[in-house]
Amino acid sequence: MGANHEENSLRYRRAQSVTTAEEITEKEKRARRSQFDRPCHKPRDSLFSWTSEFTNFTGLVNWGFLMLTIGGLRLCLENFLKYGIRVNPFEWIIVLTGYNEGKNYQYPSIILLMYSVVPAVISLLIEKAIAADLFTQKLGVTLQIINLLTEISLPVIVLNFSNQEFSFVGITTVCMIYLVIFLKLWSYCQTNHWCRNGTRTKKSKSLRRQSLSAPNSKNSDHEKTDDMMGIVKYPDNLNLRDLLYFLLAPTLCYELNFPRTTRIRKRFLIKRIVEVIFGMNLILALFQQWMIPSVKNAVDPFSQMDVVRITERLLKLAVPNHLIWLCFFYLSFHSFLNLMGELLHFADRNFYNDWWNSRNIAVFWSTWNMPVHLWAVRHVYIPITEMGYGKGLAGIVVFFISAFFHEYLVSVPLQMFRVWAFLGMMAQPPLSVISKFVERKLGVRWGNIIVWSSLILGQPLAIMMYYHDYAIAHYTPK
C-alpha cells in the first residue's frame, strides 16, 4: 500500500508530457490543482502565436502610427531641404481651369465637358422613340450603340484632329467624365431594354389571361399599391429630370426607383465638404512637392536599364504614390460620393467594402470600388453567363473591358499609345490565381500581403514606365 501511495504521489508530481497544450485533459488539470504545490501554470500559447486568439494589438498599432509619423516627418524635411518648397496653389488653379489651353481663351476642355450632356440627351430621345414605336427595337439598339461609341471616341477625335492645345489635367478630366457617362448610358440603355421586354411580356400574358377568364384581381391590387407608393414604371421614367438625376447620382447602375433618404444631414454634409476641400489641396500639394521630383529622377535609371537604381527609385516612389492613392481613395469614395449622395438624397452609400482585409486579388477587385464592381457584374458578367458562357470567360471579359478603359484614361491624355496599364490589368487574373494559392497554402495573412504588395509596388512601376516613355518622346533632343 505504501509503495502504491508513493507511486501515485510521484505520478501527480509531474504532468504527463504532451505535444500540444490542448491535449492536456480536464482530469489532469483537476489532479494538478488538488496538490499542495500551489500550481500557477496552465496551458497557454504565446500572444504572438496565431493559435493564441489574442487580438488586442492597440499599443502596437499606436507604435506603428508613431513610427510612420516620425518617418514621414523626416522624409518631408529631406524633401524640403533637397527641392525647396514647390507647392504653388496658383499653378494648380491655372492648370485645373484650363487657362493655359488653346489660343484666344477658347478653353477646349471646358467646351468638351459642356458638350458631354448632348450624348445623354440623344440617348433619352432614342429611348422615347423606341417606347413610342417610332423606331423598331433593332434600329433603336443600333442607334444607341453608335451614340455610345461616338461619345467615348469624341475626346480621342478632338485631341488628335484639332489644333487646340489641351493641358494634361484638362484632357484627363474630360476622359474621366466621358468614361463615367459612357458607363452610365450603357446601364441606362440596357435597363430600359429589360423594362421594355418585361412590360411587353407582362402585357401579352395579361391579354391571354383576360381572353380565358376574368381579370386577375391580385395584379390589379399590386398595381394600385405601386401607384400609392409612387413607384415609377416604364416608360414614365423616360424624362429629362430622371436622366439628369441619374447622371449626377453616385452610381453607375440605373434603376427606375432609387432608394431615397428623407432629409439632408447638415452636420454630415459640412464634414464631407471640409474633407473634399482639404483632401484636394493635400493631394495636389503631395503631388507637386513629392511625386513630381521622384518621377523625374527615375528617367535616367530606366534609360540606362540600371536594375539597382531602378529598384531604388521604385521603392522611393512607392511611398508618396501609395500615400496619394490612399488619400485619393478616401477623397473620392468616401468624401465626394457621400457628399453627392447626401445632396441628392441617395440612400445606397455602399461605395466600398473592407478591401484592406482582402485575402486575395480577386476579393480586392470585388470590394474596393463597388460602383464599378456592381456595374461590371450587372451589365457584363451576368448577361454573358445568361447567354450560356462560362464564368471564367465572363470574368476575363470583365477584366479586358477594365484594362481597355484603364489604358484609355492614360494613353489618350498622354497622346501616346502604350500598353502598360492594359497589361497591368490583364495580369490581375493570373496574379489572382497566385494569391489564392498563397492564401490556401500559407494562410489568409500571406494572401493579404500579396494584395498590399501589388498595390504598393505595381502602381509606381507603371507610372515610372509611362513617364519614361513620355519624357523620351517629348523632351529628348532630336
Side-chain angles (χ1 to χ4, degrees):
M1 290 291 291
N4 291 336
H5 179 73
E6 186 177 349
E7 208 171 327
N8 289 335
S9 300
L10 291 174
R11 187 181 295 118
Y12 287 134
R13 190 172 300 162
R14 182 178 179 183
Q16 296 179 3
S17 61
V18 293
T19 55
T20 61
E22 289 78 7
E23 293 180 6
I24 299 179
T25 63
E26 289 296 326
K27 183 178 179 181
E28 289 176 290
K29 293 178 183 178
R30 287 195 300 269
R32 292 180 63 251
R33 286 197 298 266
S34 66
Q35 301 307 301
F36 299 109
D37 58 350
R38 300 181 182 180
C40 60
H41 297 288
K42 60 181 179 180
R44 288 175 292 192
D45 289 320
S46 299
L47 296 184
F48 285 145
S49 300
W50 289 6
T51 55
S52 68
E53 298 182 357
F54 180 78
T55 57
N56 186 11
F57 292 100
T58 304
L60 291 179
V61 172
N62 293 336
W63 168 81
F65 274 113
L66 183 60
M67 291 298 295
L68 286 174
T69 302
I70 294 173
L73 290 175
R74 189 202 67 80
L75 289 174
C76 287
L77 290 175
E78 179 185 8
N79 185 277
F80 286 138
L81 292 174
K82 188 173 183 180
Y83 302 110
I85 299 178
R86 301 172 57 91
V87 178
N88 186 352
F90 294 102
E91 289 185 3
W92 285 112
I93 293 173
I94 292 173
V95 173
L96 293 175
T97 56
Y99 182 80
N100 62 332
E101 292 183 354
K103 298 177 181 179
N104 300 322
Y105 306 102
Q106 295 179 12
Y107 307 115
S109 295
I110 296 178
I111 295 174
L112 278 176
L113 289 176
M114 294 172 61
Y115 181 82
S116 62
V117 183
V118 175
V121 176
I122 293 175
S123 180
L124 171 62
L125 295 176
I126 295 173
E127 287 296 330
K128 290 180 74 70
I130 300 173
D133 292 328
L134 298 177
F135 293 161
T136 63
Q137 181 154 299
K138 185 176 181 180
L139 175 60
V141 171
T142 303
L143 292 176
Q144 291 286 28
I145 293 174
I146 294 174
N147 182 47
L148 287 175
L149 293 178
T150 304
E151 187 268 346
I152 198 64
S153 303
L154 187 61
V156 183
I157 296 172
V158 173
L159 191 63
N160 286 278
F161 295 98
S162 173
N163 59 357
Q164 297 292 334
E165 296 180 3
F166 289 83
S167 70
F168 175 74
V169 176
I171 193 60
T172 301
T173 304
V174 169
C175 290
M176 178 67 73
I177 297 298
Y178 271 68
L179 176 57
V180 170
I181 293 177
F182 174 83
L183 298 178
K184 283 177 176 279
L185 291 183
W186 181 327
S187 177
Y188 185 75
C189 298
Q190 195 169 15
T191 303
N192 282 312
H193 177 74
W194 295 335
C195 294
R196 187 163 51 248
N197 291 342
T199 302
R200 290 175 179 176
T201 302
K202 184 178 180 180
K203 285 182 178 180
S204 62
K205 289 181 179 179
S206 177
L207 290 174
R208 285 199 300 268
R209 279 197 301 267
Q210 290 181 12
S211 63
L212 295 174
S213 60
N216 193 334
S217 61
K218 291 184 178 180
N219 289 336
S220 60
D221 292 341
H222 184 68
E223 291 177 358
K224 290 180 180 178
T225 303
D226 290 346
D227 293 337
M228 291 176 61
M229 296 180 63
I231 299 296
V232 178
K233 297 180 181 179
Y234 182 86
D236 297 335
N237 63 302
L238 300 178
N239 57 74
L240 188 59
R241 181 179 180 180
D242 179 85
L243 176 60
L244 291 178
Y245 179 87
F246 172 57
L247 292 179
L248 294 174
T251 180
L252 299 175
C253 294
Y254 176 70
E255 294 179 11
L256 276 67
N257 300 276
F258 288 109
R260 304 287 186 94
T261 58
T262 57
R263 66 183 183 90
I264 294 178
R265 296 168 292 178
K266 295 181 180 179
R267 183 176 298 180
F268 181 87
L269 183 64
I270 293 173
K271 287 181 179 178
R272 301 291 82 80
I273 293 174
V274 172
E275 287 178 354
V276 168
I277 296 174
F278 176 78
M280 286 183 61
N281 284 278
L282 176 62
I283 290 176
L284 295 178
L286 288 173
F287 194 87
Q288 201 172 30
Q289 180 68 40
W290 201 352
M291 192 77 172
I292 293 177
S294 298
V295 173
K296 286 183 177 179
N297 292 336
V299 175
D300 290 339
F302 260 87
S303 301
Q304 301 170 5
M305 294 306 293
D306 188 338
V307 178
V308 177
R309 292 183 63 197
I310 289 175
T311 304
E312 187 270 336
R313 288 289 100 185
L314 175 64
L315 296 176
K316 187 172 184 178
L317 183 61
V319 177
N321 174 80
H322 190 63
L323 182 59
I324 292 174
W325 183 83
L326 290 175
C327 293
F328 181 78
F329 165 80
Y330 186 87
L331 175 67
S332 301
F333 290 92
H334 185 76
S335 302
F336 180 73
L337 292 183
N338 267 299
L339 171 63
M340 295 302 297
E342 197 69 22
L343 290 173
L344 296 172
H345 295 270
F346 190 83
D348 185 5
R349 308 294 177 84
N350 185 31
F351 305 127
Y352 55 90
N353 286 336
D354 59 334
W355 56 265
W356 46 88
N357 292 326
S358 300
R359 59 184 183 272
N360 56 60
I361 297 295
V363 174
F364 167 78
W365 285 110
S366 63
T367 53
W368 93 276
N369 188 339
M370 293 308 296
V372 172
H373 174 69
L374 290 177
W375 182 92
V377 171
R378 186 180 187 229
H379 295 287
V380 180
Y381 186 86
I382 292 179
I384 290 176
T385 54
E386 288 179 344
M387 294 169 61
Y389 296 99
K391 295 181 178 180
L393 177 62
I396 292 176
V397 172
V398 168
F399 271 103
F400 180 85
I401 294 175
S402 178
F404 174 80
F405 285 124
H406 273 78
E407 190 63 46
Y408 173 87
L409 291 174
V410 179
S411 291
V412 174
L414 291 177
Q415 300 184 53
M416 63 177 192
F417 178 72
R418 297 294 186 272
V419 294
W420 307 129
F422 180 86
L423 294 177
M425 282 302 301
M426 292 307 296
Q428 298 305 306
L431 185 59
S432 175
V433 174
I434 296 174
S435 64
K436 288 180 180 178
F437 176 80
V438 171
E439 175 197 357
R440 188 169 57 254
K441 294 296 183 180
L442 301 178
V444 174
R445 290 190 179 185
W446 282 101
N448 183 254
I449 289 175
I450 295 293
V451 173
W452 278 111
S453 300
S454 67
L455 291 175
I456 295 173
L457 299 178
Q459 293 174 2
L461 180 61
I463 291 172
M464 284 164 51
M465 290 189 293
Y466 273 108
Y467 184 79
H468 170 265
D469 294 346
Y470 186 83
I472 294 298
H474 291 81
Y475 301 121
T476 302
K478 298 180 181 180

